[in-house]
């Protein structure tokens, strides 16, 4: 099975717009949106929800006021500054609570409950570009890494069940927990960057992360014509690092126009940028084929 | 006053707005980059760095010789960071959240403290503004612990402009929870609108005043404006979709320095942010 994961480090470089287009061009694949706290791919693909599941993960401490003696043991033990003394009444700040359970375990009055957290929902859907596995973490929740791992597992099972060979995943920005969960063991990371100081800086960090996990990677320079010098400099850096540039794409307001119509660029345009996106996909397929053969 | 600049969607212009706010601010100010996974504010404010220090998390170090394989550590750990395989205690320090539970619960003193590097806290000066940032170690999964270390270095004598990470989960919540006002930045596109709604929902339980800066106004559609009107989210400023703004950004320049005609609008934004904080205090007093 081939798993292609689109990441960027910096947000807003065009990950989801590119993923949507690749979803249109690819054949025999499962789609997966791994940006579980701000997923957008479904806005382009208008999915029909076929399966809808709750995601439970982790716990939260809740002090039961009627059993609490106010001894303050929890206050002293909590390393996350999550317990506050509100005039002798001890309360847990649900936002700061890490769910470690230390206060629960040691409370001499057994006054702290530890309910499991309902963190979000996940879905299996059908779209005009094939089946999609996606989720929505409830706003403000954590454990996005665990949800990412769960989605990848479901996507693999779905692909196997339907005899599909490829998974195309849209990743989250950053280099932290959800991105690490998206990358570990994936076949190919496609890093979408843009010719700005932040696009470049963030690409370098996410490329370091992919290398840390020994994930093969290619770069796509999006909006290259905003700053051609910076684009060349990014490509030179990639050459030095032996990271292939799978293509460059121009700044094209049609990406946004397509988005407003809930379409991807290759549906919206017949030629132009759409052709360049097709060339990028062709190159990614070649590289993926070489990886498979190796 | 602490102002956090946040957004659901990445790449909507948080750093652009934060950098210009720092330059337009009407008093002693500090710029704080809490997007520790991908810090960018320094690329625009070009601070002269003065110092820094490594930030660590305390994680378990297990001593096999003292372990009686009772499994108390494995049972208290919620994060699968320590376990007992047969007779052997095995710690996975990279999974640890640093709660200290295993050390507290171990009856034989077999678990002592070790550190895991989270990243760096760095500080310096950008003109008159103090500059503070965190930089997560590549490979480190958790950003909130480093963010907690960064904010320990806040100067209480200065107002702070925080550049927050994108998203709606624990890292952005941690970045905005100390703020007096949250400035949301979005763009008028379907993605921008969708993620802004999620961010506002995520931040609402904090009970902080929020306002919106629309970046790249003129691009896309009108859902964002309809949403502001329908839900009473104050529209603080619009930055037009202007190739020169994108150009300045691509060259690592602060917008109000590259395009001085925006200085007045950012000056007004500072005033509106101050008004938001004041209104909130009046409302709190009434309640």
């Amino acid at each position: 099975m081939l798993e292609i994961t689109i990441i960027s480090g910096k947000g807003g470089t065009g990950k989801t717009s590119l993923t949507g287009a690749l979803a249109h061009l690819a054949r025999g694949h499962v789609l997966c949106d791994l940006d579980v706290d701000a997923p957008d791919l479904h806005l382009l693909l208008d999915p029909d929800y076929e399966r809808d599941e709750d995601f439970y993960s982790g716990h939260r401490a809740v002090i039961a006021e009627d059993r609490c003696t106010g001894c303050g043991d929890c206050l002293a033990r909590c390393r996350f500054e999550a317990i506050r003394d509100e005039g002798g009444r001890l309360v847990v700040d649900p936002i700061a609570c890490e769910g470690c359970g230390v206060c629960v375990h040691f409370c001499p009055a057994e006054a702290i409950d530890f309910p499991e957290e309902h963190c979000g929902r996940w879905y299996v859907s059908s779209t005009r570009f094939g089946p999609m596995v996606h989720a929505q973490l409830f706003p403000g929740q954590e454990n996005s890494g665990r949800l990412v791992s769960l989605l990848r597992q479901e996507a693999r099972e779905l692909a196997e069940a339907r005899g599909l060979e490829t998974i195309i995943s849209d990743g989250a920005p950053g280099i932290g927990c959800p991105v690490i969960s998206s990358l570990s063991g994936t076949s190919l990371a496609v890093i979408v960057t843009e010719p700005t100081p932040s696009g470049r800086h963030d690409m370098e960090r996410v490329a370091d992360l992919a290398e840390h996990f020994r994930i093969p990677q290619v770069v796509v320079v999006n909006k290259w014509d905003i700053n051609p010098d910076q684009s060349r400099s990014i490509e030179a850096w990639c050459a030095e690092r032996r990271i292939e540039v799978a293509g460059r794409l121009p700044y094209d307001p049609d990406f946004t126009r397509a988005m407003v119509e809930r379409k991807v660029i290759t549906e919206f345009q017949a030629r132009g940028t759409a052709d360049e996106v097709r060339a990028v996909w062709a190159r990614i397929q070649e590289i993926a084929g070489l990886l498979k053969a190796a | 006053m602490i102002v956090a600049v946040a957004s659901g969607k990445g790449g909507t212009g948080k750093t652009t707005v934060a950098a210009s706010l720092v330059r337009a601010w009407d008093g002693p100010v500090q710029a704080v980059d809490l997007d520790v996974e991908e810090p960018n504010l320094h690329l625009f404010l070009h601070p002269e760095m003065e110092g820094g220090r490594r930030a660590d998390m305390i994680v378990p170090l297990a001593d096999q010789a003292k372990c009686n394989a009772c499994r108390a550590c494995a049972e208290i750990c919620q994060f699968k960071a320590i376990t007992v395989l047969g007779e052997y205690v095995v710690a996975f320090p990279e999974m640890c959240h640093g709660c200290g539970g295993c050390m507290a619960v171990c009856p034989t003193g077999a678990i002592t403290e070790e550190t895991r590097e989270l990243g760096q806290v760095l500080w310096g000066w950008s003109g008159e503004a103090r500059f503070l940032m965190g930089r997560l170690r590549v490979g480190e999964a958790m950003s909130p612990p480093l963010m907690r270390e960064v904010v320990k270095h806040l100067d209480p004598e200065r107002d702070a402009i925080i550049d927050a990470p994108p998203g709606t989960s624990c890292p952005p919540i941690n970045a905005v929870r100390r703020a007096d006002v949250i400035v949301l930045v979005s763009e008028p596109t379907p993605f921008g609108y969708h993620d802004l709604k999620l961010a506002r929902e995520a931040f609402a339980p904090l009970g902080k005043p929020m306002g919106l800066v629309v970046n790249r106004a003129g691009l896309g559609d009108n859902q964002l404006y309809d949403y502001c009107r329908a839900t009473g989210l104050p529209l603080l400023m619009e930055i037009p979709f202007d190739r020169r703004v994108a150009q300045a950004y691509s060259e690592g320049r602060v917008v109000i320095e590259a395009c001085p005609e925006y200085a007045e609008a950012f000056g007004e934004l500072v005033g509106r942010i101050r008004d938001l904080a004041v209104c909130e205090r009046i409302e709190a007093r009434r309640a």
Side-chain angles (χ1 to χ4, degrees):
Chain A
M1 182 120 24
L2 187 74
E3 213 178 330
I4 298 171
T5 308
I6 291 99
I7 50 170
S8 65
K10 176 173 162 22
T13 59
K15 273 186 303 300
T16 304
S17 292
L18 182 64
T19 307
L22 300 190
H24 176 216
L25 300 174
R27 293 288 169 268
H29 61 283
V30 171
L31 293 166
C32 197
D33 192 347
L34 299 178
D35 187 357
V36 294
D37 71 305
D40 286 334
L41 191 58
H42 66 285
L43 297 174
L44 295 179
L45 300 190
D46 188 25
D48 287 323
Y49 293 68
E50 288 171 353
R51 200 173 149 198
D52 176 346
E53 304 276 350
D54 289 314
F55 172 64
Y56 285 90
S57 181
H59 297 255
R60 277 282 173 282
V62 183
I63 297 175
E65 218 178 316
D66 55 329
R67 308 202 299 275
C68 175
T69 62
C71 72
D73 183 84
C74 52
L75 195 64
R77 287 185 191 276
C78 180
R79 292 199 178 170
F80 305 100
E81 297 160 32
I83 296 170
R84 280 198 308 261
D85 186 342
E86 290 185 348
R89 197 172 139 258
L90 295 171
V91 291
V92 178
D93 174 352
I95 291 163
C97 177
E98 189 80 5
C100 69
V102 169
C103 59
V104 180
H105 179 90
F106 286 100
C107 175
E110 296 185 16
I112 308 180
D113 297 323
F114 202 39
E116 196 172 30
E117 280 282 282
H118 184 200
C119 300
R121 307 187 76 80
W122 63 272
Y123 318 98
V124 177
S125 299
S126 63
T127 77
R128 64 187 184 279
F129 303 148
M132 171 155 95
V133 181
H134 54 130
Q136 177 68 62
L137 199 67
F138 294 147
Q141 284 291 349
E142 50 186 302
N143 286 316
S144 52
R146 284 188 195 174
L147 184 51
V148 165
S149 301
L150 184 148
L151 292 189
R152 288 183 64 198
Q153 184 57 35
E154 290 295 330
R156 279 192 291 266
E157 284 172 19
L158 186 67
E160 260 165 46
R162 301 201 185 172
L164 303 171
E165 288 292 312
T166 308
I167 297 171
I168 299 177
S169 297
D170 190 9
I175 60 164
C177 127
V179 181
I180 290 175
S181 295
S182 319
L183 278 182
S184 63
T186 198
S187 320
L188 179 66
V190 176
I191 303 175
V192 184
T193 187
E194 63 178 31
T196 63
S198 35
R200 175 179 182 154
H201 172 270
D202 297 358
M203 166 198 73
E204 290 184 14
R205 278 167 69 78
V206 85
D208 284 345
L209 183 71
E211 192 168 296
H212 181 85
F213 290 106
R214 299 176 192 286
I215 306 299
Q217 44 184 313
V218 296
V219 162
V220 175
V221 183
N222 194 15
K223 314 176 199 173
W224 73 269
D225 49 343
I226 281 183
N227 190 329
D229 288 340
Q230 180 77 258
S231 291
R232 277 188 287 274
S233 154
I234 286 173
E235 288 168 359
W237 182 87
C238 290
E240 221 169 87
R241 288 283 296 259
R242 294 167 185 275
I243 298 170
E244 172 160 346
V245 177
R248 32 159 85 172
L249 297 171
Y251 174 76
D252 187 343
D254 272 1
F255 277 108
T256 306
R257 292 189 191 110
M259 188 200 295
V260 169
E261 290 188 19
R262 303 293 196 269
K263 283 184 179 157
V264 302
I265 188 81
T266 44
E267 291 174 297
F268 189 79
Q269 281 183 346
R271 299 257 79 87
T273 304
D275 279 336
E276 300 184 54
V277 173
R278 277 188 277 271
V280 165
W281 173 235
R283 187 62 196 137
I284 290 172
Q285 278 181 297
E286 279 170 26
I287 294 163
L290 293 173
L291 286 170
K292 223 173 176 179
Chain B
M1 172 159 74
I2 299 180
V3 180
V5 183
S7 76
K9 176 169 158 38
T12 57
K14 277 182 300 300
T15 304
T16 297
V17 170
S20 283
L21 267 182
V22 168
R23 289 289 182 255
W25 203 251
D26 54 1
V29 70
Q30 53 196 324
V32 186
D33 199 342
L34 285 185
D35 186 357
V36 300
E37 292 181 40
E38 294 289 23
N40 289 155
L41 199 51
H42 66 289
L43 300 171
F44 299 88
L45 292 178
H46 306 284
E48 281 191 34
M49 298 319 273
E50 202 175 64
R53 67 175 196 82
R54 188 181 128 153
D56 290 314
M57 180 191 271
I58 292 167
V59 298
L61 177 67
D63 180 355
Q64 185 59 42
K66 289 187 185 162
C67 175
N68 66 0
C70 74
R71 300 191 54 83
C73 56
E75 276 154 28
I76 197 169
C77 183
Q78 295 292 317
F79 310 107
K80 302 190 174 90
I82 193 160
T83 190
V84 179
L85 301 167
E87 298 285 294
Y88 292 92
V89 56
V90 187
F92 301 97
E94 70 281 6
M95 306 284 284
C96 178
H97 287 222
C99 70
C102 54
M103 300 159 198
V105 83
C106 178
T108 63
I111 305 171
T112 52
E113 294 185 349
E114 191 183 26
T115 55
R116 175 177 93 215
E117 184 188 350
L118 295 167
Q120 301 282 327
V121 182
L122 302 161
W123 54 84
W125 292 92
S126 171
E128 300 282 297
R130 192 168 173 260
F131 186 87
L132 181 61
M133 71 182 281
R135 186 195 290 277
L136 194 72
R137 175 178 57 82
V138 171
E140 169 62 46
M142 287 165 227
S143 56
L146 178 58
M147 289 159 62
R148 285 194 284 271
E149 292 301 313
V150 175
V151 299
K152 284 181 188 166
H153 293 77
L154 280 174
D155 177 352
E157 303 295 313
R158 288 171 175 267
D159 290 331
I161 311 293
I162 293 176
D163 195 1
T168 65
S169 68
C170 39
I173 299 273
N174 265 281
V176 307
R177 57 186 281 241
R178 291 166 194 85
D180 300 299
V181 174
I182 301 172
V183 175
L184 298 162
V185 183
S186 194
E187 59 181 33
T189 65
F191 291 179
Y193 162 65
H194 176 259
D195 295 353
L196 172 84
K197 271 195 305 182
L198 293 174
R200 193 179 180 205
E201 250 181 83
F203 300 151
L206 298 169
K208 318 262 187 198
M210 289 188 252
L212 176 67
V213 172
V214 174
N215 191 17
R216 305 191 189 108
L219 178 83
D221 57 12
N222 287 318
Q223 281 175 297
L224 206 52
Y225 299 101
D226 296 342
Y227 172 78
C228 279
R229 266 193 299 274
T231 64
L233 179 66
L235 181 58
L236 300 175
M237 180 186 183
E238 282 183 277
I239 305 172
F241 179 53
D242 178 346
R243 209 178 158 99
R244 286 174 317 140
V245 172
Q247 187 69 33
Y249 182 85
S250 82
E251 291 165 359
R253 300 168 75 193
V254 178
V255 170
I256 60 170
E257 289 171 348
C259 313
E261 65 273 29
Y262 286 101
E264 199 183 327
F266 274 98
E268 285 169 12
L269 176 62
V270 171
R272 292 202 179 108
I273 291 169
R274 289 206 180 276
D275 289 348
L276 260 187
V278 171
C279 291
E280 191 66 12
R281 277 201 294 276
I282 292 169
E283 273 173 34
R285 228 175 287 149
R286 270 194 206 136

